[in-house]
Amino acid sequence: ADKTGIVNAFNDIKKNAKAQDVFVFYYAGHGYIHPDKKEFYLVSANVEDGNESLLKNGIAAKELQNFAVDIAAQKQVFILDACQSAGAFDKMLQHDGEQQKALAVVSRSTGTHWLAASGSTETAKEFGELGHGAFTYTLLQALKGEAAVNKMITVNGLKNFLQVKVPELIKKYGGDFQSPASYGFGNDFPVELFK
């Protein structure tokens, strides 16, 4: 999972995705907001430090957003289980009008959604007893059916479940505050159906 591998995987999806596809990107790893650039980065396997190596080998939030625009799938969910992960869409919320416009066009007929494990100044907590980070553990519980309503889990249902259950889990295990964040354009859609 170095930068080249991640970018190549995105490029393969760009080449093969069709409009009717559902694209889900899931990342569990380190995340960091560069102190000078004020931009969130996924810390890929070949990042050695939080400075030049991060800038060269990390995946910037802007790159992720560009992939969202370039992938033809009209239903997209980006799930980021990393420290400071809400930083991946903080700038979209603030002022990046061109990027917002491009993402809005992509999601006009369906939706593009971002789910982050933690706020842009928070760490994503892990507890050995869970075998996962608190966010991923809760996500897995949701997908096993705990977030289902009318035999379906929608993106918005998933967002709501995570925003309620992750802080409860953190409190139960005695961790500091962690609040998942989300951001989306366009319509809600099902991510899982149950018979």
Side-chain angles (χ1 to χ4, degrees):
D2 62 9
K3 181 172 184 172
T4 301
I6 295 168
V7 168
N8 286 344
F10 270 116
N11 286 331
D12 285 345
I13 291 164
K14 275 176 22 181
K15 283 187 251 174
N16 296 305
K18 296 174 180 52
Q20 68 270 21
D21 292 338
V22 175
F23 171 66
V24 177
F25 175 76
Y26 170 80
Y27 173 84
H30 295 292
Y32 185 66
I33 296 178
H34 191 277
D36 297 332
K37 298 280 186 188
K38 306 290 188 231
E39 183 167 18
F40 175 80
Y41 286 80
L42 299 180
V43 179
S44 66
N46 53 336
V47 171
E48 297 171 3
D49 60 49
N51 293 311
E52 290 305 312
S53 179
L54 179 69
L55 297 176
K56 179 181 175 189
N57 299 312
I59 308 288
K62 189 89 167 177
E63 291 176 86
L64 288 176
Q65 294 161 18
N66 287 337
F67 283 121
V69 170
D70 294 341
I71 291 172
Q74 292 181 355
K75 297 177 182 176
Q76 300 183 15
V77 183
F78 287 75
I79 302 170
L80 308 175
D81 187 355
C83 295
Q84 303 179 342
S85 50
F89 48 80
D90 272 357
K91 287 193 177 186
M92 283 193 283
L93 293 170
Q94 293 170 6
H95 55 73
D96 195 344
E98 285 304 309
Q99 193 69 9
Q100 276 192 332
K101 197 159 57 175
L103 285 167
V105 167
V106 168
S107 64
R108 186 171 290 142
S109 59
T110 54
T112 301
H113 300 271
W114 300 76
L115 286 73
S118 59
S120 59
T121 60
E122 298 171 355
T123 58
K125 311 298 185 292
E126 296 183 17
F127 302 102
E129 304 93 320
L130 299 177
H132 297 284
F135 181 84
T136 292
Y137 178 85
T138 306
L139 176 66
L140 292 172
Q141 298 307 305
L143 295 174
K144 288 178 184 175
E146 289 187 29
V149 175
N150 297 325
K151 297 185 178 186
M152 168 182 2
I153 301 172
T154 66
V155 176
N156 286 339
L158 197 55
K159 289 176 187 180
N160 293 337
F161 186 87
L162 290 164
Q163 288 172 337
V164 169
K165 296 296 184 181
V166 170
E168 288 177 1
L169 192 64
I170 298 295
K171 186 176 181 180
K172 176 181 176 182
Y173 283 89
D176 294 336
F177 186 75
Q178 176 184 338
S179 180
S182 61
Y183 183 63
F185 285 102
N187 299 323
D188 192 13
F189 57 86
V191 291
E192 188 170 2
L193 300 172
F194 295 90
K195 293 183 179 182

